Amino acid sequence: MNKNILSLSFAISLAVSACSPKLASLADKTPEQLTTTYSITKDVAYGTDKEETMDIYLSRDAQKLGNKNLTIVFLHGGGYYVSDKSKEERYIQPYLKKGMNVVNMNYRIKRGIPLASEDLTYALNFLKANNAAYRLNLDKIVVSGFSAGAHIASLVAVTANDPTYPFKLSSGLKIAAVVNFSGPVDGLDVVEKVFMSNDVPVMKAIGVALFPETTDYAPKEYIRKFEPITYFDKNDPPFFIWQGGKDDQVPPVTFEKFVALLKQEPKKNEVLFVPEGQHSPNANELKDAYQKIFHFLDRL
């Protein structure tokens, strides 16, 4: 009986896979189609702080994507200090044009990395607890972000299977992949020095606020707890990393060890290194990146 059930399950899985469109070849929706495809709920509170809010884009076409019915959760950048989910919507537009469900979230800023990095876990746990209202596929979550947001996404992804990490994801949540644009994965001490030594007042303020519980540069043994490389292992989800060779905020040297680990499994992970790229990709770089990202997601 159990063998029959397993065989049926496998057959269904194959059928769903065969019927699922490839994201990379799926035509983008027009602005008119986007209007009729999405139900959008803005500023959903997932915590008690006024900054713990998210926008939820529910697609009427998500189920048609079959096994590519992924839930995208995106976090903005800004040094854990500035910006807002409404400022970096260019990073979620490509997913919306494919008809995917998207969550675009804020997190607590100006209070340091330790506090900000907790909020993705809280947001995912909220979605799980309230999924009767949203009907998201939480078995296939893609966490993504730019800069600070990409760091948070990467940290939560690699700690999901680590029993020592204090902030636990609820049962039934599965991070299927990470899409990281310019987000720190190692060398947070280097990033801290880049900002704290900067002459531009807001940049220096960002550096001071990264670890507000310390009066000067944070000790490396403390910083290590917030570096994704600390928790990396082969059971982590696949990574797609976009990295600019001329990034003056998260220097390329901070990626070297982590990228070397990713490249040990080239069929699983992908690194897009843009030699002339700055910290933030320009329009053409972003367009090229998403062409590759959808091929990457099609492998899931």
Side-chain angles (χ1 to χ4, degrees):
M1 185 68 172
N2 287 339
K3 288 183 179 179
N4 290 336
I5 292 173
L6 288 172
S7 297
L8 179 60
S9 176
F10 181 67
I12 292 171
S13 177
L14 286 177
V16 170
S17 179
C19 296
S20 298
K22 293 290 187 182
L23 295 171
S25 57
L26 197 63
D28 286 351
K29 292 184 180 296
T30 66
E32 293 77 16
Q33 289 172 326
L34 288 174
T35 301
T36 59
T37 298
Y38 281 95
S39 170
I40 305 169
T41 308
K42 296 275 189 174
D43 298 320
V44 176
Y46 65 84
T48 57
D49 192 278
K50 66 180 181 179
E51 291 179 330
E52 292 176 314
T53 63
M54 54 189 171
D55 300 338
I56 302 177
Y57 297 75
L58 297 179
S59 169
R60 295 178 177 87
D61 293 343
Q63 294 297 327
K64 298 177 185 178
L65 295 175
N67 66 359
K68 300 303 185 298
N69 178 19
L70 311 171
T71 297
I72 309 298
V73 180
F74 180 81
L75 299 89
H76 67 81
Y80 322 87
Y81 195 83
V82 294
S83 198
D84 177 86
K85 55 184 168 59
S86 65
K87 305 292 186 184
E88 293 171 13
E89 292 182 346
R90 69 183 187 133
Y91 288 99
I92 67 169
Q93 284 299 319
Y95 300 115
L96 297 176
K97 289 178 181 179
K98 300 294 185 182
M100 306 172 79
N101 288 324
V102 175
V103 176
N104 187 24
M105 61 173 282
N106 275 345
Y107 50 92
R108 289 169 290 179
I109 58 175
K110 289 187 171 68
R111 285 172 273 183
I113 288 176
L115 201 65
S117 61
E118 298 173 14
D119 278 349
L120 176 54
T121 299
Y122 297 150
L124 293 176
N125 289 348
F126 171 88
L127 291 173
K128 177 63 178 176
N130 295 275
N131 203 31
Y134 305 119
R135 299 172 64 88
L136 297 165
N137 182 6
L138 300 180
D139 290 327
K140 276 193 166 184
I141 301 168
V142 177
V143 290
S144 178
F146 165 63
S147 193
H151 162 250
I152 295 169
S154 300
L155 182 65
V156 170
V158 297
T159 55
N161 63 3
D162 192 302
T164 67
Y165 193 69
F167 303 103
K168 305 298 183 185
L169 290 173
S170 297
S171 176
L173 292 169
K174 184 176 180 181
I175 296 175
V178 182
V179 177
N180 175 323
F181 283 94
S182 307
V185 287
D186 187 14
L188 278 173
D189 54 331
V190 176
V191 175
E192 183 185 35
K193 288 173 184 175
V194 166
F195 280 90
M196 286 187 70
S197 62
N198 200 296
D199 292 332
V200 178
V202 68
M203 299 291 276
K204 188 173 182 65
I206 288 172
V208 171
L210 291 179
F211 297 101
E213 59 275 29
T214 61
T215 55
D216 197 1
Y217 289 109
K220 180 63 178 179
E221 58 270 21
Y222 177 69
I223 286 179
R224 194 172 288 117
K225 295 190 297 184
F226 304 98
E227 294 176 334
I229 197 169
T230 300
Y231 306 93
F232 182 86
D233 63 47
K234 291 186 179 294
N235 295 319
D236 291 328
F239 268 77
F240 182 102
I241 284 187
W242 187 95
Q243 180 195 356
K246 293 187 176 180
D247 190 334
D248 61 352
Q249 297 182 37
V250 184
V253 66
T254 66
F255 283 90
E256 290 176 355
K257 292 179 182 178
F258 195 84
V259 165
L261 293 172
L262 296 183
K263 288 185 174 180
Q264 291 177 7
E265 295 188 81
K267 293 183 179 180
K268 174 182 177 182
N269 305 300
E270 188 164 346
V271 178
L272 178 54
F273 177 72
V274 182
E276 298 301 312
Q278 304 292 324
H279 181 59
S280 177
N282 62 35
N284 287 333
E285 290 166 347
L286 198 67
K287 182 178 179 181
D288 178 63
Y290 273 98
Q291 289 176 347
K292 294 178 172 61
I293 287 167
F294 287 124
H295 282 290
F296 165 76
L297 296 178
D298 277 331
R299 301 200 300 261
L300 299 180

